[in-house]
């Protein structure tokens, strides 16, 4: 938790009066590629917008403060942010990765990084014994999602970080699902946090952006170097949308989490629903661990239908809820992980971890909760 201001206040003030020369309340969009220099050898601190842009810089400072890092780099998307991490490794290095994770990250690791010599092993970070057995000298990092996507498995960050320290293994947490409003891995000892800001941080399904926040000056410098060298930066306009979204993150998440709780409890009792995965439920494995490291359950849940053929009906019949991939926006979305977010994960691995034909994922937005439940009720039939 930041020392002086509460996180709600930090969020509401994201980018407030960052332009002292005019006092503009909202951070201006510095839509410029380059910056003039007053004379040879002098710079305003800005030379070229790939390297640094004032709008993006404000966003980066806000993200660093929210996560409790020394610095942040904002990228054009979450995948660009995750790609920048490659500068921390060299061919031959192995990274242990959550086996149940965002499908695009799996695709990036397997189809782009593996051919360049990095190795990835997928495992369940909830199983600490398994993690210990798999951590040999080649392992340089853990890449953790908690809760995982889409099955909401919980990793015990403090225990994993403690173990990683003893082996000089870097801990990277994809904090997209929780956001710094609910979970701050750097403060638990993680080294790096990555985000798809496309989701809750911007929150309106109107932009893509990503970020890397680090607690270590050398890592932050390497990421910033890679950001400039590879060039997939967050644009000034997208940075402005991100700042605007951040201002309401706390109220959006409070509301969405409350509704997600109600929807999860309702689904539990609904005929035709076999299993519900939501960290807030009393029976959820890892619930206690989750609430030891996060302040809320999040607003994502997955569920299995008793009859897998009913999936088509649910998807075709929802009206208030939109059938689309992604999450974290003000509008509720329903996703079919098997054919959408996780299509690039090979079938045997998908089956092993449980991403099967009967599984649906819900991202709960800020609509009236009763409307969402009524919609699911008529869609499940
Ligand atoms: C969406 C997502 C990503 C990828 O982010 P983009 O902004 O779509 O590139 C990475 N990790 C998680 C957990 C995500 O949900």
């Amino acid at each position: 938790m930041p020392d002086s201001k509460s996180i709600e206040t930090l969020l509401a003030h994201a980018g407030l009066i960052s332009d002292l020369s005019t006092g503009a309340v909202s951070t201006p969009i510095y839509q410029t590629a380059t910056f003039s220099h007053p004379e040879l050898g002098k710079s305003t601190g800005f030379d070229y917008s790939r390297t640094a842009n004032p709008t993006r810089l404000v966003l980066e400072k806000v993200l660093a403060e929210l996560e409790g890092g020394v610095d942040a780099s904002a990228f054009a998307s979450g995948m660009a942010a995750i790609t920048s991490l490659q500068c921390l490794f060299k061919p031959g290095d192995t990274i242990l990765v959550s086996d149940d994770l965002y499908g695009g990250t799996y695709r990036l690791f397997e189809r782009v990084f593996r051919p360049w010599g990095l190795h990835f092993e997928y495992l369940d970070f909830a199983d600490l014994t398994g993690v210990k057995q798999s951590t040999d000298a080649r392992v340089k990092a853990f890449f953790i999602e908690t809760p995982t996507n889409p099955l909401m498995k919980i990793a015990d960050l403090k225990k994993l970080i403690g173990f990683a320290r003893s082996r000089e293994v870097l801990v990277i947490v994809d904090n997209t699902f929780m956001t710094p409003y609910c979970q701050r891995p750097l403060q638990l000892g993680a080294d790096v946090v990555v985000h798809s800001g496309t989701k809750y941080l911007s929150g309106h399904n109107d932009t893509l952006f990503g970020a890397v926040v680090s607690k270590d000056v050398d890592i932050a410098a390497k990421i910033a170097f890679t950001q400039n060298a590879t060039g997939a930066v967050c644009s000034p306009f997208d940075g402005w949308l991100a700042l605007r979204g951040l201002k309401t993150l706390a109220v959006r998440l409070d509301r969405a989490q409350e509704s997600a709780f109600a929807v999860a409890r309702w689904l539990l009792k609904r005929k035709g629903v076999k299993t519900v995965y939501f960290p807030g439920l009393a029976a959820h494995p890892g619930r206690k661990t989750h609430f030891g490291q996060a302040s809320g359950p999040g607003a994502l849940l997955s569920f299995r239908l008793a009859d897998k053929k009913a999936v088509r009906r649910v998807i075709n019949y929802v009206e208030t809820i939109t059938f689309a991939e992604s999450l974290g926006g003000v509008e509720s979305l329903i996703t079919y992980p098997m054919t959408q977010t996780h299509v690039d994960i090979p079938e045997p691995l998908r089956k092993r971890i449980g991403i099967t034909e009967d599984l649906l994922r819900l991202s709960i937005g800020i609509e009236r909760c009763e409307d969402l439940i009524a919609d699911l009720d008529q869609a499940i039939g």
Side-chain angles (χ1 to χ4, degrees):
M1 184 64 73
D3 301 334
S4 48
K5 284 188 191 162
S6 64
I7 189 140
E8 291 88 344
T9 304
L10 282 178
L11 286 165
H13 289 184
L16 177 71
I17 321 181
S18 60
D19 181 37
L20 292 177
S21 62
T22 63
V25 166
S26 158
T27 292
I29 304 168
Y30 288 88
Q31 193 65 42
T32 183
T34 189
F35 300 83
S36 79
H37 298 303
E39 59 183 79
L40 190 66
K42 276 203 178 152
S43 160
T44 58
F46 296 98
D47 304 315
Y48 189 63
S49 276
R50 170 158 37 71
T51 319
N53 172 279
T55 311
R56 195 177 85 218
L57 191 67
V58 172
L59 172 64
E60 291 171 337
K61 290 223 173 332
V62 168
L63 293 170
E65 186 167 16
L66 288 170
E67 288 285 5
V70 292
D71 210 351
S73 297
F75 292 87
S77 69
M79 293 327 302
I82 295 173
T83 299
S84 77
L85 299 173
Q86 117 275 355
C87 72
L88 303 174
F89 307 106
K90 55 182 189 324
D93 287 351
T94 296
I95 301 167
L96 303 188
V97 182
S98 299
D99 58 6
D100 171 32
L101 93 162
Y102 180 68
T105 306
Y106 179 86
R107 178 176 54 203
L108 175 73
F109 288 171
E110 288 304 304
R111 308 273 295 274
V112 181
F113 286 174
R114 191 182 283 281
W116 284 92
L118 294 185
H119 299 283
F120 302 91
E121 269 176 46
Y122 301 86
L123 45 69
D124 179 1
F125 278 109
D127 170 19
L128 198 62
T129 315
V131 173
K132 286 183 176 168
Q133 279 165 0
S134 301
T135 308
D136 59 27
R138 293 166 306 142
V139 172
K140 298 294 184 258
F142 297 164
F143 185 95
I144 304 169
E145 281 186 20
T146 181
T148 58
N149 179 1
L151 291 168
M152 311 292 155
K153 287 190 282 196
I154 307 299
D156 188 327
L157 288 175
K158 277 178 243 167
K159 283 198 180 134
L160 287 166
I161 289 163
F163 171 67
R165 279 248 172 87
S166 71
R167 299 292 183 91
E168 292 183 34
V169 166
L170 212 63
V171 176
I172 301 163
V173 180
D174 182 335
N175 206 27
T176 301
F177 273 28
M178 283 290 108
T179 83
Y181 179 58
C182 291
Q183 176 171 282
R184 281 181 289 279
L186 298 183
Q187 302 197 339
L188 300 172
D191 301 285
V192 179
V193 159
V194 292
H195 274 286
S196 169
T198 310
K199 317 294 168 56
Y200 291 104
L201 300 183
S202 55
H204 295 74
N205 283 324
D206 54 11
T207 187
L208 281 92
F209 98 95
V212 177
V213 192
S214 166
K215 215 176 45 188
D216 178 278
V217 187
D218 292 338
I219 293 177
K222 275 189 193 163
I223 299 288
F225 176 84
T226 307
Q227 179 196 35
N228 179 44
T230 57
V233 293
C234 177
S235 78
F237 183 56
D238 290 347
W240 181 82
L241 281 171
L243 283 167
R244 191 164 83 148
L246 278 169
K247 292 172 206 271
T248 55
L249 177 65
V251 282
R252 283 188 283 111
L253 258 176
D254 283 349
R255 164 76 168 230
Q257 291 190 121
E258 204 182 306
S259 296
F261 239 126
V263 171
R265 286 202 192 100
W266 179 84
L267 282 169
L268 259 190
K269 293 198 205 119
R270 181 61 163 81
K271 212 174 113 256
V273 175
K274 196 163 67 183
T275 324
V276 183
Y277 302 89
F278 180 65
L281 292 173
H284 189 80
R287 180 182 188 278
K288 207 166 149 252
T289 305
H290 179 75
F291 283 98
Q293 62 198 20
S295 63
L300 276 153
L301 55 99
S302 298
F303 62 100
R304 282 188 206 288
L305 291 171
D307 174 11
K308 66 179 184 225
K309 290 203 274 322
V311 161
R312 181 176 294 276
R313 184 195 150 89
V314 173
I315 289 172
N316 291 345
Y317 275 57
V318 282
E319 284 172 29
T320 310
I321 300 169
T322 303
F323 173 48
E325 63 182 80
S326 200
L327 59 105
V330 292
E331 53 285 278
S332 297
L333 302 183
I334 192 162
T335 305
Y336 193 34
M338 196 181 86
T339 63
Q340 291 180 305
T341 48
H342 292 70
V343 68
D344 280 289
I345 297 185
E347 198 179 328
L349 178 58
R350 252 196 282 129
K351 281 217 167 109
R352 179 162 68 75
I353 59 189
I355 301 172
T356 44
E357 285 171 289
D358 54 353
L359 186 77
L360 286 163
R361 190 189 73 189
L362 278 172
S363 167
I364 300 296
I366 63 168
E367 302 94 336
R368 197 181 169 89
C369 183
E370 289 77 6
D371 293 346
L372 300 176
I373 290 177
D375 194 30
L376 286 168
D377 199 28
Q378 63 79 24
I380 294 169

